[in-house]
Amino acid sequence: MNKFDILIVGGGAAGFFTAINIAEKRPSLKIAILERGKDVLTKVKISGGGRCNVTHAEFIPKELSKKYPRGQKELLGPFHTFMTGDTIAWFEERGVELKIEEDGRVFPITDSSSTIVDCFLREARKHNIEVLTNHSVQDVGFDSAFAKLRISNKDPFYVKTSKGDFTCEHLVMTTGSNPKMWSLLQKLGHSITDAVPSLFTFNIKDKKIEGLMGLATNVTVKVLGTKQKSEGPLLITHWGMSGPAILKLSAWGARELADLKYQFEIQVNWLQFLTQEDALDELLELKLQHAKQSPFTYAQLELPKRLWHNLLTASGIQQATKWAELTKAQLQSLSRELTQSRFRVSGKSTFKEEFVTAGGVNLKEVNFKTFESKKVPNLYLAGEVLNIDAITGGFNFQNAWTGGYLAAQAIDS
């Protein structure tokens, strides 16, 4: 039997951050990280296109909490203790210099996730944290027979892995979206919200976006038949649509879109905030100004030329037609395509290599001052094992850092 003071299950961002912060405060404690795979920090390595989007430059707790479709209310208090500025300072104190990009995302100045991975591994070695890979956790209980019932809150945890059995006084679960670990937590008394994908792109085949791969523009987009609405940059891809506007919709509408089995219609306003009536007024003005020209000659209303051409074609306007010859029906059709363009979504795709889910441990069962379980004393939960997820931009990592830090503080006290 391998005896430790603290076991952390999950060798990812939240696991390492928790372990290092505990070890710094309590160097006398014997700490181990149990990782089921052969490598640790795999998600950190691929995040941000291999650059690791560490956090986001939002320094007001309430504004930061608004980036979490699930966890907004619960994270507000924790963010007053540890948030973006604390994260930046934490890494810089350990030799990792960070930079803020124009869109607010924060990366290491090296533009390499290896900088973050190396920092964690270096700190783990420095503080004698044992990192045990290929240790898949099979069971958790309160005696050597892995009984789930606990006689006393002082009873140690027994953890059975594929490579041996362990005991510990404090157990930290940072296993992300792992159904097997959720099942073990259910056996310990927790309830789990089933996971559905979040942060995904939309699969769309439509002539209006044919040949526009790589084109990006600011839009307002909504899912018809729901209250889901978003605004911001939309990116046209070879499989459909992506970009912040779409990713925000997929995060906030994760459960509703899952219920629709990812078959639904969206409406895109290419002019972002203008109404159809506004667009029609603009078009009538253009008809007067450019009477002898073809609408295809120059893109209008600050739209990319290829998109403008596709929308003209979708409105039944021929290349040889002049502005002066456009009928009222054609102008109305074009104004509708500009502001209420409809697209059929048939399925989803994963956003880059990053897979985020909505689901996990019920948030009512966690004390967010400490990230300790309300069901099982001395059990702590941090990161995506909880029913918390965010929009893209470094926010999911910030949840991991905050949860790990507060859990470490609580274990130290």
Side-chain angles (χ1 to χ4, degrees):
M1 189 70 69
N2 302 286
K3 189 174 181 181
F4 285 85
D5 295 300
I6 295 155
L7 285 176
I8 292 162
V9 182
F16 269 81
F17 205 75
T18 308
I20 293 163
N21 279 286
I22 296 169
E24 285 179 347
K25 293 179 175 75
R26 298 281 296 277
S28 61
L29 295 179
K30 193 179 178 187
I31 304 168
I33 294 172
L34 302 175
E35 167 55 43
R36 63 175 174 158
K38 62 182 175 64
D39 295 311
V40 293
L41 299 163
T42 51
K43 200 166 183 180
V44 173
K45 286 176 189 173
I46 64 170
S47 74
R51 295 198 297 145
C52 191
N53 185 184
V54 176
T55 185
H56 200 96
E58 174 52 72
F59 299 96
I60 302 168
K62 191 168 185 179
E63 292 305 310
L64 180 60
S65 71
K66 289 178 182 176
K67 309 301 181 185
Y68 296 81
R70 284 145 292 273
Q72 177 177 347
K73 182 181 71 174
E74 290 81 5
L75 287 174
L76 181 56
F79 283 156
H80 278 88
T81 300
F82 192 94
M83 59 172 291
T84 310
D86 305 294
T87 298
I88 293 170
W90 192 94
F91 281 105
E92 291 189 342
E93 283 163 12
R94 288 155 188 81
V96 178
E97 198 174 339
L98 303 175
K99 61 177 180 176
I100 299 171
E101 299 202 336
E102 277 187 32
D103 60 4
R105 291 182 301 164
V106 178
F107 293 93
I109 59 164
T110 58
D111 278 327
S112 172
S113 59
S114 296
T115 307
I116 304 299
V117 172
D118 291 346
C119 169
F120 283 147
L121 294 176
R122 187 171 61 248
E123 292 294 318
R125 284 193 299 271
K126 176 181 170 183
H127 296 289
N128 300 312
I129 297 163
E130 290 194 44
V131 180
L132 305 172
T133 55
N134 294 308
H135 276 68
S136 175
V137 171
Q138 311 293 316
D139 208 349
V140 176
F142 302 109
D143 64 27
S144 55
F146 292 95
K148 300 300 180 291
L149 294 174
R150 200 177 203 180
I151 298 167
S152 162
N153 288 346
K154 293 181 180 178
D155 286 350
F157 292 92
Y158 281 75
V159 179
K160 182 182 183 66
T161 81
S162 53
K163 285 197 168 183
D165 295 350
F166 297 77
T167 67
C168 62
E169 301 302 316
H170 294 84
L171 180 64
V172 187
M173 299 293 282
T174 60
T175 46
S177 306
N178 184 331
K180 186 179 173 185
M181 294 302 102
W182 282 335
S183 180
L184 286 181
L185 287 168
Q186 274 183 309
K187 288 179 183 177
L188 292 174
H190 276 287
S191 54
I192 305 296
T193 302
D194 290 340
V196 297
S198 180
L199 286 188
F200 50 84
T201 60
F202 294 174
N203 295 346
I204 298 169
K205 286 187 177 179
D206 194 294
K207 285 189 174 181
K208 289 198 285 278
I209 56 171
E210 221 170 69
L212 302 184
M213 191 179 91
L215 184 147
T217 188
N218 286 315
V219 303
T220 300
V221 57
K222 58 185 175 183
V223 179
L224 295 174
T226 76
K227 293 181 179 178
Q228 300 300 332
K229 186 177 180 181
S230 174
E231 61 190 56
L234 180 148
L235 173 68
I236 297 171
T237 68
H238 65 271
W239 64 83
M241 292 180 183
S242 183
I246 298 298
L247 295 170
K248 279 192 278 185
L249 264 191
S250 74
W252 288 95
R255 296 215 162 271
E256 205 164 4
L257 300 184
D259 290 342
L260 294 171
K261 295 182 168 53
Y262 309 106
Q263 305 289 323
F264 52 91
E265 255 193 312
I266 60 169
Q267 183 176 288
V268 178
N269 185 343
W270 300 105
L271 303 182
Q272 203 165 15
F273 303 117
L274 294 187
T275 64
Q276 185 182 352
E277 291 73 21
D278 294 334
L280 187 56
D281 289 343
E282 295 274 359
L283 294 174
L284 289 167
E285 187 65 32
L286 288 166
K287 182 176 178 178
L288 290 173
Q289 289 175 2
H290 306 291
K292 295 180 180 179
Q293 287 180 0
S294 164
F296 285 85
T297 306
Y298 300 105
Q300 302 293 343
L301 304 172
E302 299 181 11
L303 290 178
K305 190 172 186 178
R306 289 182 297 155
L307 175 60
W308 172 253
H309 284 183
N310 279 20
L311 295 178
L312 287 171
T313 302
S315 305
I317 298 169
Q318 304 295 317
Q319 201 149 356
T321 309
K322 292 181 172 57
W323 273 104
E325 297 166 347
L326 292 178
T327 65
K328 185 179 179 182
Q330 285 175 317
L331 289 171
Q332 284 179 329
S333 177
L334 180 55
S335 66
R336 191 163 50 249
E337 285 298 345
L338 287 165
T339 58
Q340 300 172 22
S341 212
R342 290 191 173 204
F343 298 90
R344 183 78 199 166
V345 176
S346 300
K348 60 178 176 53
S349 294
T350 302
F351 173 58
K352 296 183 180 176
E353 302 89 358
E354 298 177 35
F355 186 67
V356 174
T357 59
V361 174
N362 186 326
L363 302 186
K364 290 179 180 176
E365 299 170 1
V366 177
N367 176 354
F368 280 92
K369 290 180 180 177
T370 60
F371 282 75
E372 185 178 11
S373 163
K374 290 180 180 177
K375 298 282 186 179
V376 186
N378 298 329
L379 171 66
Y380 295 81
L381 306 133
E384 289 182 45
V385 70
L386 298 166
N387 184 21
I388 292 176
D389 63 285
I391 62 172
T392 186
F395 300 105
N396 283 301
F397 274 141
Q398 185 56 56
N399 168 45
W401 315 140
T402 298
Y405 183 84
L406 266 72
Q409 262 199 336
I411 290 168
D412 175 48
S413 60

